[in-house]
């Protein structure tokens, strides 16, 4: 059976089969507690299905308490040993905290130039938007200042 655009339809109930496979992976330890689940794109490709079908399967696992969603971070396998875990901080906040610590510890001295956005992306394994969010947080705290065409620098009067 095909849709109007020529793509095949997903058989009814496919999401239940996908949920069963993913459930088995969580329970047998393929996806360890605390680990991030593969992204929707990868799972859609693996199961040759649509995002909507995959999301229905993931909603089942979430309702069963096997996985949890952290907004902006992804889906994670729940650790059955602990009921409440501290929330996971977004990547940009972790980057900002790391750079803030380097500034306060003197690794990045007043007046020092920060690594470029590209270098930070490579170092932290993230996209430029995420790095820019972290840098904006540091600029709001008056730890970093941007100079047009020259880069970002640690401010001279860093609060210690």
């Amino acid at each position: 059976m095909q849709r109007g655009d020529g793509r095949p339809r997903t058989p009814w109930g496919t999401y239940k089969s996908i949920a069963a496979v993913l459930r088995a992976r969580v329970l047998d330890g393929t996806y360890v507690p605390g680990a991030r689940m593969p992204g929707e794109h990868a799972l859609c490709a693996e199961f040759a299905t649509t995002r909507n079908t995959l999301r229905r399967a993931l909603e089942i696992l979430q309702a069963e308490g096997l996985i949890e969603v952290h907004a902006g971070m992804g889906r994670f396998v729940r650790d059955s040993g602990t009921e409440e875990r501290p929330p996971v901080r977004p990547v940009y906040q972790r980057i900002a905290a790391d750079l803030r610590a380097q500034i306060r510890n003197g690794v990045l001295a007043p007046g020092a130039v920060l690594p470029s956005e590209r270098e930070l992306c490579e170092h932290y394994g993230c996209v430029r938007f995420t790095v820019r969010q972290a840098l904006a947080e540091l600029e709001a705290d008056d730890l970093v200042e941007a100079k047009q065409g020259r880069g970002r620098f640690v401010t001279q009067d860093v609060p210690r």
Side-chain angles (χ1 to χ4, degrees):
M1 204 170 217
Q2 291 189 344
R3 296 184 171 127
D5 61 2
R7 292 183 299 153
R9 282 184 185 246
T10 304
W12 184 255
T14 299
Y15 71 97
K16 293 177 185 175
S17 303
I18 294 170
V21 170
L22 294 175
R23 181 183 305 107
R25 290 179 185 174
V26 168
L27 297 176
D28 73 9
T30 302
Y31 300 142
V32 296
R36 185 171 187 249
M37 296 282 293
E40 289 180 359
H41 184 74
L43 290 172
C44 284
E46 177 184 347
F47 291 105
T49 192
T50 63
R51 183 171 279 173
N52 195 34
T53 300
L54 177 71
R55 284 181 177 171
R56 288 184 73 184
L58 291 170
E59 285 171 3
I60 291 173
L61 298 182
Q62 186 177 356
E64 293 173 356
L66 295 174
I67 65 172
E68 55 191 12
V69 177
H70 295 281
M73 301 291 297
R75 291 176 178 87
F76 293 81
V77 178
R78 280 195 81 184
D79 187 357
S80 58
T82 59
E83 192 59 34
E84 267 313 297
R85 283 195 330 213
V88 178
R89 288 193 309 180
V91 175
Y92 81 91
Q93 287 180 350
R94 288 184 278 168
I95 294 170
D98 185 40
L99 292 173
R100 186 178 290 111
Q102 289 181 40
I103 292 169
R104 293 223 164 98
N105 294 334
V107 175
L108 291 170
V113 65
L114 266 65
S116 69
E117 289 178 0
R118 182 184 55 77
E119 291 168 333
L120 290 170
C121 289
E122 289 174 7
H123 178 75
Y124 292 104
C126 62
V127 296
R128 186 165 281 183
F129 178 77
T130 304
V131 166
R132 286 182 178 168
Q133 282 181 296
L135 294 171
E137 193 171 286
L138 294 175
E139 288 174 20
D141 292 344
D142 291 324
L143 295 174
V144 172
E145 62 183 337
K147 295 184 180 177
Q148 183 73 28
R150 294 182 43 214
R152 287 185 177 85
F153 296 83
V154 178
T155 56
Q156 293 296 330
D157 51 336
V158 174
R160 300 264 177 209

